Amino acid sequence: MRRTQAQVVIALALLVAAAAGGHAEDAAGLRPKVTALLGRFPAANGADRDALAAEILKLGPAAVTEVCGRVLPPGGGDDSAARFALNGVAVYAARSGAERDRLLAVRAILDAARKAADKDVKAFLISQVQLAGGAEAVKPLAAYLTDERLAEPAAQALLAIRAPGTEAAFLKALDAAPSPLRVTIVKALGELRGREAVRKLIPLASSSDDRLRQTALFALANIGDPAAGPVLERARLAAPLYERSGAPALYLLYARRLVESGRAAEGLAVARSILKYYSAPAESHVAANALGLVVSVLKDRALPDLLAVLDSPSAKLRGAALELAGVIPGSDASQRWVEKAAEASPAARAEIVAMLGRRGDRAALPAVREALRSPDQAVRLAAIPAAVRLGGADVLPDIYPFFSSPEAEEVAAAKEALLGFEAGRVVPEAARLIEETPPAGRAALIGVLAAKGARDRIDLVFAQAQSSEPSVRAAAIAGLAALAEEKDQARLLELLYAASDSEETANLQKAIAAAAGRNSDPERRADGLIGFMAVAPAAKRAALLRVLPRVPGIKALQAAVDATHDKDPQVQSAAVYALSQWPDFKAAGELVRIVSTTANKKFLLTALEGYVRLINGSDVPAWKKLDLLASAVSLPKDDADKKAVLRGIAECRGPAAFHMLAGFLDDKELRATAAQALLGMAADEAPEERWLSGHEAISILRRVEAQADDPAEKEQVSRMIADRLRQGGYIPFFNGRDLGGWKGLVADPPARAKMTAEEMKKAQAAADERMRAHWRVADGLLVFDGQGESLCTLKDYADFEMLVDWKIGKAGDSGIYLRGSPQVQIWDPEANPEGSGGLYNNQKNPRKPLEKADRPVGEWNTFRIIMIGERVTVYLNDRMVVDNTVLENYWERDKPIYPLGQIELQAHGNPLWFRDIYVREIPRDAAAPVLAESEKDEGFIALFDGSGLGGWTGDTEGYRAEDGRIVVHPELGGGNLYTEREYADFVLRFDFKLTPGANNGIGIRAPLEGDAAYAGMEIQVLEDGSPVYWTLQPYQYHGSVYGVVPALRGILRPVGEWNTEEITARGRRITVVVNGTRIVETDLDQASAGGTIDYRDHPGLSRERGHIGFLGHGSIVDFRNLRVKELK
Amino acid sequence: MPKPHRLTRRQFLGRTLTAGAALTIVPRRVLGGPGYTPPSDTLTKAVVGVGGMGRAHLAYPGAALLAVCDVDDGHLRTALDLSGPGVKGYHDFREVLERPDIDIVHIATPPHWHALISIAAAEAGKDVWCEKPMTRTIAEGREVVRAVGRTGRIFRVNTWFRFEDPFYGFGSEVRPINKVVRSGLLGWPLKATIGAATGFDWKFYWSGRTNLRPEPVPPELDYDFWLGPAPWKPYHPHRVHGTFRGYWDYDGGGLGDMGMHYLDPVQFLLGKDDTSPVEVWADAPQQHPDACGSWRRIEMRYADGCVIILDGENRDRNAAFLEGPQGKLFRGFESDIPGLRDRIAALPDPELQVTDFAEAVRTRRRFALNERNGHRSCTLVNLGKIAVQLGRPLRFDPDKQEFIGDDEANRLAGQPMRAPWHL
């Protein structure tokens, strides 16, 4: 039997893997067991992981070896289960008191690392040894210290383990290692801090290799052996400019290590020499550092050193000394600082005074108090908080005069000082002083009264609110907001009516609302205001209305509504504004009424904006918000107003809002607003929301891109699309610059399989030459000149999803070859009315597209091609033209399509253009998971044993048990399949995998007869990312209780990948969780109160029990790992 | 004031540009008059790491920008475009630290660099404004505390909810909650629950990807330098800019991203600024050795019985934010204690902290959130990360800052660095 080249490649890869796995006969028996165990990774939690790891360890070292063998080089395929498993084994084996497990695991992993061919794989294995390794790992790890790629991970592992013999191993490797690796080893020796290394490191400290020299200096400094002192000092003096700042730090590190190892005098000498040498301001941070060491050695005896530093011109160094002053407590030391302050420069004096305040030694109070009268402002400013801190209320008489200071900073400092006291201490004097203090100080004093809650001084504050000084007025009004109560409202209103400044008006409104808010009965808060409104003239009514939203309640709302009918237009306007600002949803009805009835454009926009704001701020589910917003769009007649609604829609971030906004891209007036909102959503900093790389979102962004007029904006959108696709795992395939990633075509797959490697190489070189002659890149497009052959991807693909834009000329013909085989058809739709996209070479399966979705010749078309197993789905310009159809093998008609192969852009004798080519590889299935121990303990029972349909009834022909899965076969029936048993309250968990556009459903509490969606309940199963379904209602999306409760969209994994789902039915509550996100949580009675949202009868909602089942809809869907727990 | 997150790019650019314009130092002769700041008193700063959050740091007020630094030339170019004339670009942060005219270094690199740059900056006499999470490991945090302490530098972590802004969805600033706690009305010990019911929704976007296919390193990125102390692994764009939080080598998923924002105020409220929990436990699916995944719940208990619960799945639907034996405090300042607001209004406000970084730098006073309490709150993040990774309950000694009887946890608490980088 002939084999294709691809099959040979796979076979070879298996052989290599088997060889790496160790003893073939051991591995053969273990392999299925290990595979089954790996299928259960990642574990649901730590306990499960430990249980799984224990099972692996129980199988012995060969099992660990087998798992290690399944770790692949990066990019070599999905090996995450193996990596999860190995890490699980390492973590489990490293628990305390499990020496046998630990040794078994570590030895097996080390052994596998030794045998592994790929260095990235070795590095991963070493990193697992780092977690669990002990003394036994030292020698094997040390062997890697001379390997360029592995020295680093091995050194890190050795440093983490720190077993005896480590230093010797590093020293040995130091001699043998090539020069670049010595940095790694030297650094490790430095971190180990063994003395043995010093002798060998000293010569390296004068190496001409910069990195090695620097690292050796670090190592010597960190070890802190006196033998290295001269070397480190010399290095500091002789250091090249670039190393200037590093060298003293190392010298100081050395000094610190000396002190730590009991050589305090030697360490101190080094520190003092640094302190002296680096005292210039630009380098004083080094000196500050040394000063810290001096203090840590001398403790109390370091005071003279600290005092001396205060003469330094460097503020940084002085600051460091004052920070360190706290280390030496006591009044004697305080006294020395006071003396120092007297003779120091003004700047240093201010710093010392501030420090004395922080120090909290009352002995310094007289001096600090004296400093309040210093001629130097910096000193005075430092003295104010310091004096208060030391003297408390006693010094207040010294502080009050500062309120009359012409310096704003001194006033502010005085105010801050007062705020630290209780009200009784400061309020009387502050109030007394107000009259006689200049404006700046007066405003500050009013602020003190307000902050201290001096209600009994409110008359004084009212009087100041009429001051001619704006700053005083502002402070007084702010003070009133803090102090006023309901009974003060009349006086506040007088101020409000008289106010002309808009900021003052706003602050007064706040004050009035604050006063009303102090009434303990929320419903009576507005009473006072409403009473005033009844008697006030128009201008005053308008002013009062603006306060109402701040005092919400039914009465206030009614008053605002009444005012919309006021005769005075100014009052009407204020009333509409007030409603638009209402804080709760109660105003919504009125706002809608205004929007639908008013003839006043301004009222309409105000009310509409208010309504949108209320919707977005309400706590209804997202779909309900969108529902309300959708109806709000039709309220106004004017597009300018609709824009407000569009912006509101954008705030309901998610696929549904995205979809809704896209609906406005065809509206000439609203297009720009919609596009802006869409881009805002896609450009938001949220890093990865899967739906943004999905079919619908990308398709919408493409429309925005096509419509953009400004080339810069077009470019921006195009980059955004590329980013989102990348995040979704789509690899760009064509870089827009050259033919990187592509190769020329050599013969056909059967012919290629027969060629030797040498022949192949030669033929490929010739083919590449031909490719370069006829395919080229121009203006970011991939262009074919009409002669020559197809363009092929460098790599082979198994399952994948491909995006590609193409364009042809009149009578043009081309196609996309999948796995080296023809083809998804491209041709001139005028000459071929069936259109493009069909699987042209099929004989048994459909070959024509489902519909013609081509754009006219000369325009760009977009394919989205999904190939999983033998089946292919094609979307052309977002229309499904091939529905999950088997692609036949054209080259060898008696065989199924090859499992692997290159993708080709077909040359067919005419010019072609391609762009925006992306491929997302879809991982092939790992083994089906089985019911986990922890779930068994929880009470879950498997609904499906993985091999047959025992326990199931209904259409047992249309569903098959295959490889641990239940697979729907529409061609065999694919009707409904039910459990034989009935369930009432339960938790159902399962995995499912969808094909493009797939539709199925989970029936729950269903009878065996009738349409389960109505006679029972259907939890929808739908590939709702497919364009086929973009117009569905929210209650039809995946996970919804069909027709009754909408589900959150955008959670499904891309087509071809497994999803997990959990359905909980507990009494009237239904919860659906998909991939860890709760997408439905509902109470059936509430959801169906007043009729269901699909306006259909759902008698099944009242059923208390019934069968669980799959509701077939003619699509292929896979289910696995079905388990159920009954709730009592 | 910097506000977090969720700005659109357009808003972001607009804001950055205006703020940048305001930063220009106007010479004295132009401005004159009283109230001006003489140029010699103007604080100066450099920003290291100018992708993502780093760009926001360009415009933070308080100091004039003199230098930007990034190992990605693309980031560097963008930052230079945003920051106007007079700002110099650097590739190597060590060159920035050598400039004597820079007072403050902002660190907005990925977390695996925070400790090394913080220590180097402190050693070079710079004050530091560091992004959260403060450090990637507990050992790194301890070294930062030591270095900042012995050099007398001023340090802040870039989260601020302990002293200003309503506390995420809780609906109140921390100050009044602090008063409630100190009033003793709730009793002691307290249980703090962080989840949707209490107003704090966790970010789950940050998960890493497995099976990455290595890709060529883009020419503008110095990948080796970007990795720095982290283990060498093949390049893939998902491991770096914007998505690095999904990998244990550089950060710790949503916990690394948002943990300090949520946990620091809680630590402050519980009065635990100088200690750490004694027990930590996580309920999480098994973690990939390289890529961070999600988790369901993390619980941490202090020696006095106070408990912090991170309710990652929002299971505790009726939880109080703070619960003590005598009372509860719910989201939006609701409480089962009648008249709580009025009762605490009568209490004095807590002592003022220094919450203006420029002021802290000028007066050499410790910033409200500094290296010490910042390290303790980052330790909460790091304890959580290790508990999630190991999937078993852990005991911790808050004084020695070591795990008790768990070598492996200790190996994760202090991972070695790739040569030649060292603490």
Side-chain angles (χ1 to χ4, degrees):
Chain A
M1 184 177 164
R2 280 182 309 157
R3 282 183 170 175
T4 65
Q5 193 191 10
Q7 285 167 327
V8 172
V9 168
I10 291 176
L12 273 174
L14 284 174
L15 272 177
V16 170
H23 301 295
E25 64 275 17
D26 290 352
L30 272 174
R31 201 164 292 147
K33 288 183 194 161
V34 169
T35 303
L37 282 167
L38 286 189
R40 292 158 64 186
F41 279 99
N45 53 46
D48 282 9
R49 177 205 61 203
D50 287 351
L52 286 170
E55 285 188 54
I56 293 176
L57 287 170
K58 218 184 287 167
L59 292 175
V64 180
T65 309
E66 173 68 22
V67 178
C68 291
R70 300 201 191 188
V71 176
L72 303 175
D78 186 351
D79 66 347
S80 38
R83 287 181 188 239
F84 272 116
L86 210 53
N87 188 244
V89 167
V91 170
Y92 175 69
R95 73 200 188 281
S96 60
E99 192 59 11
R100 265 186 55 192
D101 279 354
R102 202 187 61 74
L103 277 176
L104 185 158
V106 171
R107 289 206 170 115
I109 298 172
L110 280 167
D111 195 45
R114 190 168 53 78
K115 289 177 183 156
D118 181 88
K119 297 225 167 149
D120 285 322
V121 171
K122 281 177 188 275
F124 174 75
L125 297 176
I126 291 170
S127 72
Q128 300 315 302
V129 174
Q130 181 173 334
L131 289 175
E136 75 289 345
V138 172
K139 238 177 111 181
L141 287 174
Y144 297 113
L145 289 175
T146 50
D147 180 293
E148 198 180 345
R149 167 75 180 86
L150 300 173
E152 192 58 54
Q156 294 199 12
L158 284 164
L159 278 176
I161 295 168
R162 283 187 192 244
T166 305
E167 190 186 13
F170 275 115
L171 278 170
K172 199 171 143 214
L174 184 60
D175 295 329
S179 164
L181 300 188
R182 303 177 99 192
V183 172
T184 298
I185 297 166
V186 166
K187 182 226 161 201
L189 284 166
E191 297 212 332
L192 282 171
R193 299 185 57 191
R195 305 266 161 177
E196 294 300 308
V198 175
R199 195 177 42 84
K200 281 198 176 180
L201 291 175
I202 287 177
L204 299 180
S206 44
S207 161
S208 58
D209 175 340
D210 288 350
R211 265 161 91 100
L212 185 56
R213 183 177 64 250
Q214 277 291 298
T215 314
L217 286 170
F218 153 72
L220 287 169
N222 203 41
I223 295 168
D225 188 286
V231 181
L232 288 162
E233 183 173 18
R234 262 203 316 281
R236 176 175 64 95
L237 298 173
L241 194 62
Y242 183 78
E243 293 169 18
R244 265 279 152 86
S245 60
L250 288 180
Y251 195 38
L252 204 63
L253 173 64
Y254 164 69
R256 191 166 296 117
R257 295 294 187 230
L258 284 176
V259 171
E260 283 168 7
S261 58
R263 298 171 184 273
E266 286 168 85
L268 192 61
V270 172
R272 280 204 168 121
S273 87
I274 294 174
L275 180 56
K276 198 168 141 205
Y277 191 87
Y278 292 96
S279 56
E283 294 182 313
S284 58
H285 57 272
V286 181
N289 221 328
L291 187 63
L293 185 58
V294 170
V295 173
S296 74
V297 174
L298 291 179
K299 307 270 166 19
D300 291 9
R301 287 175 294 129
L303 189 56
D305 293 82
L306 293 179
L307 290 165
V309 163
L310 263 285
D311 296 328
S312 160
S314 160
K316 284 184 180 176
L317 187 51
R318 295 198 307 266
L322 290 166
E323 182 96 355
L324 290 164
V327 175
I328 307 168
S331 291
D332 289 350
S334 301
Q335 187 52 36
R336 301 280 297 278
W337 284 111
V338 167
E339 287 160 15
K340 186 73 197 174
E343 58 168 77
S345 67
R349 198 178 312 146
E351 290 160 10
I352 295 174
V353 166
M355 181 277 285
L356 287 170
R358 293 197 296 277
R359 189 178 173 86
D361 179 358
R362 243 186 109 94
L365 181 59
V368 171
R369 224 167 171 164
E370 186 61 37
L372 286 169
R373 283 179 287 280
S374 163
D376 191 88
Q377 199 204 343
V379 177
R380 292 199 304 273
L381 276 175
I384 292 172
V388 167
R389 188 110 180 228
L390 296 180
D394 294 352
V395 298
L396 279 173
D398 293 358
I399 303 299
Y400 288 118
F402 283 101
F403 282 98
S404 300
S405 162
E407 298 292 342
E409 285 181 73
E410 290 184 20
V411 173
K415 180 182 173 187
E416 196 174 320
L418 258 59
L419 290 181
F421 290 93
E422 281 168 32
R425 289 267 186 207
V426 292
V427 165
E429 185 64 6
R432 194 185 65 75
L433 283 174
I434 281 182
E435 288 296 339
E436 61 197 53
T437 305
R442 211 185 315 161
L445 286 167
I446 294 169
V448 171
L449 294 186
K452 291 294 146 193
R455 262 207 54 77
D456 53 338
R457 309 288 167 156
I458 198 163
D459 293 345
L460 181 59
V461 182
F462 264 114
Q464 295 299 326
Q466 296 183 48
S467 159
S468 57
E469 281 293 332
S471 65
V472 174
R473 270 205 317 273
I477 291 171
L480 289 173
L483 299 175
E485 287 182 357
E486 223 170 357
K487 59 176 187 264
D488 305 313
Q489 270 184 346
R491 282 199 284 176
L492 287 169
L493 289 172
E494 284 311 312
L495 289 174
L496 178 69
Y497 299 153
S500 54
D501 177 276
S502 65
E503 195 182 330
E504 229 165 67
T505 306
N507 286 333
L508 278 163
Q509 286 166 354
K510 270 186 220 157
I512 294 166
R518 294 199 173 93
N519 186 327
S520 56
D521 180 355
E523 270 311 315
R524 306 204 52 174
R525 280 176 188 162
D527 287 3
L529 291 176
I530 295 168
F532 288 117
M533 256 174 72
V535 296
K540 296 182 179 179
R541 288 207 299 284
L544 279 166
L545 275 164
R546 292 181 172 261
V547 188
L548 281 185
R550 297 177 185 273
V551 223
I554 293 299
K555 286 186 201 163
L557 179 62
Q558 190 54 50
V561 171
D562 290 348
T564 61
H565 304 292
D566 198 286
K567 283 193 293 293
D568 188 282
Q570 198 196 342
V571 175
Q572 280 179 24
S573 170
V576 172
Y577 180 76
L579 288 171
S580 79
Q581 296 302 307
W582 215 258
D584 57 44
F585 206 71
K586 294 196 186 78
E590 271 312 308
L591 290 168
V592 171
R593 182 187 62 77
I594 294 168
V595 172
S596 357
T597 56
T598 186
N600 182 320
K601 259 214 69 74
K602 201 175 135 242
F603 289 5
L604 191 155
L605 185 58
T606 308
L608 188 64
E609 281 177 345
Y611 180 50
V612 169
R613 189 181 57 77
L614 285 182
I615 294 174
N616 280 328
S618 68
D619 53 5
V620 299
W623 66 268
K624 185 74 195 162
K625 282 183 190 171
L626 284 172
D627 219 26
L628 289 167
L629 289 166
S631 21
V633 180
S634 55
L635 287 176
K637 291 169 192 69
D638 198 326
D639 287 329
D641 299 325
K642 292 184 180 183
K643 287 177 185 169
V645 186
L646 260 54
R647 285 190 289 271
I649 294 173
E651 285 190 33
C652 302
R653 199 181 165 76
F658 212 71
H659 176 86
M660 193 178 279
L661 284 169
F664 297 97
L665 286 176
D666 297 327
D667 182 320
K668 216 164 70 224
E669 294 300 320
L670 298 175
R671 174 184 299 163
T673 310
Q676 205 182 5
L678 287 165
L679 294 181
M681 243 192 260
D684 202 311
E685 288 186 330
E688 276 198 68
E689 287 175 70
R690 208 178 269 275
W691 61 271
L692 276 169
S693 6
H695 193 164
E696 181 171 20
I698 294 298
S699 182
I700 290 169
L701 289 173
R702 285 265 176 102
R703 279 171 65 197
V704 176
E705 182 190 19
Q707 287 179 356
D709 298 325
D710 175 9
E713 190 180 337
K714 221 185 202 35
E715 168 71 26
Q716 191 202 351
V717 185
S718 138
R719 243 198 333 260
M720 203 181 283
I721 292 170
D723 283 354
R724 287 299 172 187
L725 283 171
R726 244 176 200 286
Q727 286 176 0
Y730 295 86
I731 307 293
F733 221 77
F734 165 53
N735 59 20
R737 293 191 301 272
D738 55 41
L739 292 172
W742 299 92
K743 64 184 176 189
L745 176 66
V746 176
D748 54 48
R752 286 203 297 271
K754 275 185 256 170
M755 290 161 86
T756 66
E758 196 52 38
E759 288 166 352
M760 187 65 208
K761 201 172 154 195
K762 233 171 102 189
Q764 189 63 59
D768 289 350
E769 192 71 16
R770 286 198 300 281
M771 164 184 85
R772 280 189 286 275
H774 302 292
W775 290 87
R776 72 197 157 85
V777 178
D779 302 330
L781 306 178
L782 189 52
V783 184
F784 178 57
D785 68 1
Q787 278 109 46
E789 288 161 312
S790 301
L791 189 65
C792 314
T793 60
L794 277 181
K795 239 197 74 166
D796 287 344
Y797 292 87
D799 294 348
F800 60 91
E801 176 173 358
M802 177 189 196
L803 301 179
V804 54
D805 280 12
W806 52 268
K807 186 166 82 168
I808 52 176
K810 188 119 192 83
D813 191 319
S814 176
I816 312 286
Y817 279 36
L818 310 178
R819 300 194 194 139
S821 306
Q823 97 208 28
V824 178
Q825 182 62 28
I826 294 174
W827 55 17
D828 180 345
E830 267 185 54
N832 306 282
E834 68 187 64
S836 301
L839 303 181
Y840 181 79
N841 290 295
N842 270 2
Q843 291 177 345
K844 297 180 211 122
N845 293 286
R847 56 179 291 277
K848 287 190 179 182
L850 296 170
E851 63 171 301
K852 178 170 135 185
D854 298 60
R855 302 214 173 94
V857 155
E859 287 186 26
W860 285 99
N861 292 277
T862 302
F863 269 152
R864 184 179 281 254
I865 301 169
I866 300 161
M867 181 166 201
I868 300 173
E870 298 176 63
R871 290 176 182 269
V872 173
T873 301
V874 180
Y875 293 99
L876 172 54
N877 300 324
D878 293 338
R879 308 292 299 179
M880 184 189 262
V881 293
V882 173
D883 182 4
N884 209 30
T885 302
V886 171
L887 176 67
E888 295 163 20
N889 190 329
Y890 171 81
W891 307 109
E892 299 171 88
R893 284 281 178 196
D894 54 335
K895 289 186 188 167
I897 191 77
Y898 306 125
L900 197 68
Q902 62 204 24
I903 298 172
E904 299 173 20
L905 308 179
Q906 186 200 20
H908 211 270
N910 48 71
L912 303 168
W913 295 266
F914 294 93
R915 66 174 187 195
D916 290 333
I917 310 175
Y918 290 87
V919 173
R920 171 177 73 88
E921 288 192 74
I922 300 172
R924 282 258 159 99
D925 278 6
V930 294
L931 185 57
E933 288 301 321
S934 60
E935 288 191 325
K936 267 186 211 162
D937 294 345
E938 272 182 69
F940 278 91
I941 292 169
L943 268 183
F944 166 58
D945 64 8
S947 57
L949 292 179
W952 294 83
T953 179
D955 185 6
T956 47
E957 293 302 308
Y959 290 75
R960 289 262 179 94
E962 295 171 4
D963 304 334
R965 294 171 292 169
I966 293 184
V967 182
V968 192
H969 281 279
E971 74 282 6
L972 301 175
N976 296 352
L977 181 72
Y978 290 110
T979 55
E980 285 172 351
R981 276 199 57 180
E982 290 195 294
Y983 296 87
D985 287 359
F986 59 88
V987 181
L988 171 69
R989 291 179 183 164
F990 59 96
D991 302 345
F992 64 99
K993 184 163 79 164
L994 300 169
T995 49
N999 185 358
N1000 200 285
I1002 307 294
I1004 60 173
R1005 294 184 185 162
L1008 294 175
E1009 302 301 323
D1011 185 340
Y1014 306 98
M1017 261 179 283
E1018 175 174 355
I1019 309 296
Q1020 175 76 303
V1021 172
L1022 190 77
E1023 202 269 290
D1024 59 20
S1026 168
V1028 179
Y1029 301 124
W1030 286 352
T1031 55
L1032 289 191
Q1033 294 296 325
Y1035 53 76
Q1036 296 174 304
Y1037 284 118
H1038 179 89
S1040 56
V1041 181
Y1042 189 88
V1044 183
V1045 184
L1048 187 70
R1049 267 180 85 195
I1051 306 299
L1052 287 178
R1053 300 226 167 88
V1055 165
E1057 293 185 18
W1058 287 99
N1059 298 276
T1060 63
E1061 182 156 331
E1062 179 187 270
I1063 300 171
T1064 307
R1066 186 193 289 271
R1068 306 305 289 157
R1069 293 201 73 76
I1070 304 290
T1071 311
V1072 181
V1073 176
V1074 170
N1075 297 326
T1077 301
R1078 190 171 294 138
I1079 64 170
V1080 165
E1081 174 154 51
T1082 191
D1083 180 290
L1084 290 172
D1085 293 332
Q1086 278 170 22
S1088 58
T1092 55
I1093 41 181
D1094 65 349
Y1095 304 109
R1096 298 277 302 264
D1097 268 347
H1098 285 268
L1101 293 182
S1102 57
R1103 283 175 64 91
E1104 286 176 0
R1105 59 192 300 115
H1107 303 271
I1108 294 173
F1110 302 116
L1111 311 178
H1113 274 279
S1115 329
I1116 301 179
V1117 180
D1118 293 5
F1119 296 95
R1120 69 179 187 191
N1121 200 15
L1122 290 138
R1123 62 263 196 224
V1124 70
K1125 176 171 97 170
E1126 288 189 80
L1127 302 172
K1128 303 294 177 215
Chain B
M1 207 29 244
K3 297 281 176 189
H5 320 296
R6 299 203 76 79
L7 290 173
T8 66
R9 238 168 246 179
R10 191 166 292 116
Q11 286 170 314
F12 173 72
L13 285 180
R15 197 180 60 158
T16 314
L17 291 175
T18 21
L23 269 182
T24 315
I25 308 168
V26 182
R28 177 179 180 175
R29 63 179 184 283
V30 179
L31 205 63
Y36 78 97
T37 311
S40 61
D41 283 3
T42 305
L43 295 173
T44 58
K45 71 175 179 186
V47 181
V48 181
V50 288
M53 269 314 284
R55 267 170 229 162
H57 280 259
L58 301 178
Y60 281 6
L65 181 67
L66 292 191
V68 290
C69 177
D70 206 294
V71 296
D72 186 309
D73 289 345
H75 286 178
L76 198 55
R77 265 197 308 276
T78 311
L80 286 170
D81 288 347
L82 288 172
S83 44
V87 175
K88 213 174 152 202
Y90 294 85
H91 185 82
D92 188 331
F93 70 94
R94 292 167 295 192
E95 288 179 44
V96 176
L97 300 184
E98 293 197 349
R99 275 182 67 162
D101 56 343
I102 286 171
D103 300 313
I104 302 167
V105 174
H106 289 240
I107 304 170
T109 61
H112 66 286
W113 268 111
H114 287 180
L116 283 177
I117 302 177
S118 293
I119 294 168
E123 299 281 5
K126 314 295 183 197
D127 296 319
V128 176
W129 184 328
C130 183
E131 259 307 327
K132 44 83 196 169
M134 182 170 139
T135 59
R136 199 186 65 92
T137 68
I138 294 171
E140 288 171 8
R142 259 162 49 194
E143 285 307 315
V144 172
V145 172
R146 279 189 199 140
V148 174
R150 71 169 174 261
T151 53
R153 306 325 303 166
I154 304 297
F155 185 97
R156 84 163 279 186
V157 184
N158 199 36
T159 174
W160 51 87
F161 294 99
R162 71 158 60 208
F163 54 82
E164 70 186 15
D165 275 5
F167 186 16
Y168 276 92
F170 184 78
S172 163
E173 292 190 356
V174 159
R175 196 189 325 242
I177 315 176
N178 189 11
K179 284 166 81 170
V180 173
V181 173
R182 294 196 322 166
S183 72
L185 289 167
L186 304 177
W188 202 264
L190 292 177
K191 178 170 90 174
T193 307
I194 294 180
T198 53
F200 313 98
D201 229 336
W202 283 86
K203 250 189 175 177
F204 276 113
Y205 310 127
W206 303 113
S207 48
R209 302 216 308 239
T210 56
N211 304 313
L212 296 175
R213 172 186 311 277
E215 290 191 23
V217 180
E220 65 273 17
L221 174 67
D222 183 346
Y223 180 57
D224 188 66
F225 206 161
W226 187 93
L227 285 174
W232 191 89
K233 292 201 179 141
Y235 173 81
H236 184 280
H238 199 262
R239 300 187 72 88
V240 296
H241 312 331
T243 39
F244 63 81
R245 293 198 193 279
Y247 300 88
W248 298 116
D249 282 351
Y250 323 119
D251 198 0
L255 200 52
D257 181 31
M258 296 302 277
M260 277 196 81
H261 275 326
Y262 291 137
L263 286 165
D264 178 66
V266 174
Q267 172 182 289
F268 174 60
L269 289 168
L270 298 179
K272 304 297 182 199
D273 271 355
D274 53 2
T275 186
S276 295
V278 294
E279 275 174 22
V280 55
W281 167 87
D283 172 24
Q286 187 191 356
Q287 298 294 305
H288 190 273
D290 187 36
C292 313
S294 68
W295 43 269
R296 294 180 284 264
R297 189 181 187 83
I298 300 173
E299 291 189 13
M300 298 187 257
R301 198 177 64 79
Y302 286 94
D304 67 350
C306 282
V307 174
I308 301 176
I309 293 173
L310 300 176
D311 180 12
E313 282 200 326
N314 302 325
R315 237 181 295 167
D316 300 336
R317 318 206 109 240
N318 301 314
F321 172 52
L322 290 177
E323 180 177 350
Q326 291 157 38
K328 298 176 187 175
L329 184 68
F330 295 91
R331 176 181 196 165
F333 225 78
E334 299 295 319
S335 175
D336 57 352
I337 298 173
L340 184 68
R341 260 176 213 279
D342 295 338
R343 289 167 78 172
I344 63 153
L347 297 170
D349 276 329
E351 198 173 318
L352 292 165
Q353 306 166 290
V354 186
T355 57
D356 176 333
F357 189 64
E359 185 197 336
V361 167
R362 284 209 177 85
T363 61
R364 307 313 296 166
R365 284 159 71 196
R366 211 177 277 292
F367 188 78
L369 174 56
N370 49 61
E371 75 282 2
R372 296 187 195 175
N373 49 18
H375 167 55
R376 289 294 183 174
S377 40
C378 193
T379 295
L380 298 177
V381 172
N382 284 321
L383 288 175
K385 275 159 55 182
I386 294 174
V388 165
Q389 278 173 286
L390 293 184
R392 60 180 173 235
L394 301 169
R395 289 193 303 138
F396 190 69
D397 179 334
D399 297 325
K400 291 191 194 146
Q401 303 190 37
E402 284 172 4
F403 290 96
I404 301 167
D406 197 322
D407 287 348
E408 200 201 356
N410 280 323
R411 285 184 193 181
L412 291 177
Q415 297 163 54
M417 290 181 171
R418 188 165 68 108
W421 302 104
H422 56 79
L423 279 177

